[in-house]
């Protein structure tokens, strides 16, 4: 199977929207409303926002989004992989590994210090996947503060 993994540029709005729709499907997001094109275009133009897609026959079959974080402990930034998904019919065929290889290679070449990603403790498939790509795990507890208006 011929798969092309590439980093999106600001000209990649159509592929980015395909990826968001893929996330919506794979993550089973209900009542999701995609932001307008201006917002998405702005994100693609932000150098601290990174998008890689996997394409097969000019269709997005997987991808990831990541954020570059500047540090005060080092001059080299960190990169946080926020979402990664592969269309279900293409899962377990090496697409995710190609995406992780794409982002880690890009970050290494750009002189970044580290790439990191979170996986839910109960998601054994994700944990096994990241381990299979050479990642090292550490046990942490993730806290969040919902900021919903009343």
């Amino acid at each position: 199977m011929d798969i092309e993994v590439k980093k999106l540029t600001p000209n990649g709005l159509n592929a980015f929207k395909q990826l968001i729709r893929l996330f919506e499907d794979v993550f089973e997001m209900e009542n999701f409303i995609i932001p307008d094109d201006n917002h998405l275009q702005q994100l693609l133009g932000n150098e601290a926002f990174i998008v890689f897609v996997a394409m097969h026959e000019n269709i997005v079959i997987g991808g990831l989004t990541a954020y570059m974080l500047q540090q005060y402990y080092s001059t080299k930034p960190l990169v946080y992989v926020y979402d990664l998904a592969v269309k279900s019919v293409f899962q377990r065929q090496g697409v995710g590994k190609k995406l992780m290889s794409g982002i880690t290679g890009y970050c290494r070449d750009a002189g970044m210090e580290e790439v990191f990603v979170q996986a839910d403790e109960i998601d054994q498939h994700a944990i096994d996947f990241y381990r299979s790509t050479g990642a090292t795990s550490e046990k942490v507890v993730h806290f969040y503060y919902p900021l919903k208006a009343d």
Side-chain angles (χ1 to χ4, degrees):
M1 176 171 47
D2 186 33
I3 297 171
E4 176 191 11
V5 171
K6 66 180 184 177
K7 180 184 179 295
L8 291 186
T9 65
N11 296 330
L13 181 62
N14 183 48
F16 186 33
K17 288 169 70 172
Q18 286 181 54
L19 177 61
I20 294 168
R21 290 298 183 198
L22 187 148
F23 287 159
E24 179 184 18
D25 180 49
V26 172
F27 300 147
E28 299 176 348
M29 299 163 59
E30 294 182 20
N31 304 316
F32 173 72
I33 299 171
I34 193 166
D36 64 66
D37 286 359
N38 289 333
H39 176 74
L40 300 177
Q41 192 70 58
Q42 218 175 6
L43 272 175
L44 284 175
N46 181 342
E47 69 179 38
F49 181 70
I50 304 165
V51 182
F52 273 81
V53 292
M55 307 209 44
H56 176 64
E57 298 178 354
N58 295 318
I59 295 172
V60 173
I61 62 165
L64 63 80
T65 57
Y67 295 90
M68 183 178 7
L69 305 170
Q70 296 297 329
Q71 297 191 77
Y72 44 86
Y73 295 121
S74 170
T75 58
K76 295 181 178 183
L78 303 172
V79 172
Y80 172 55
V81 175
Y82 186 74
D83 276 329
L84 184 150
V86 175
K87 196 173 219 166
S88 59
V89 296
F90 293 97
Q91 290 177 0
R92 295 180 179 49
Q93 297 180 38
V95 177
K97 286 183 179 183
K98 287 182 180 189
L99 287 163
M100 286 308 298
S101 179
I103 187 83
T104 56
Y106 169 79
C107 291
R108 185 180 304 105
D109 292 348
M112 298 178 197
E113 184 172 318
E114 178 179 288
V115 174
F116 67 101
V117 62
Q118 293 175 257
D120 290 331
E121 195 171 26
I122 61 169
D123 190 347
Q124 196 59 49
H125 289 296
I127 291 168
D128 292 343
F129 166 73
Y130 290 117
R131 284 189 177 134
S132 77
T133 64
T136 302
S137 65
E138 63 184 13
K139 194 154 181 112
V140 298
V141 177
H142 176 90
F143 294 91
Y144 66 96
Y145 298 89
L147 303 174
K148 295 180 181 175
D150 292 330

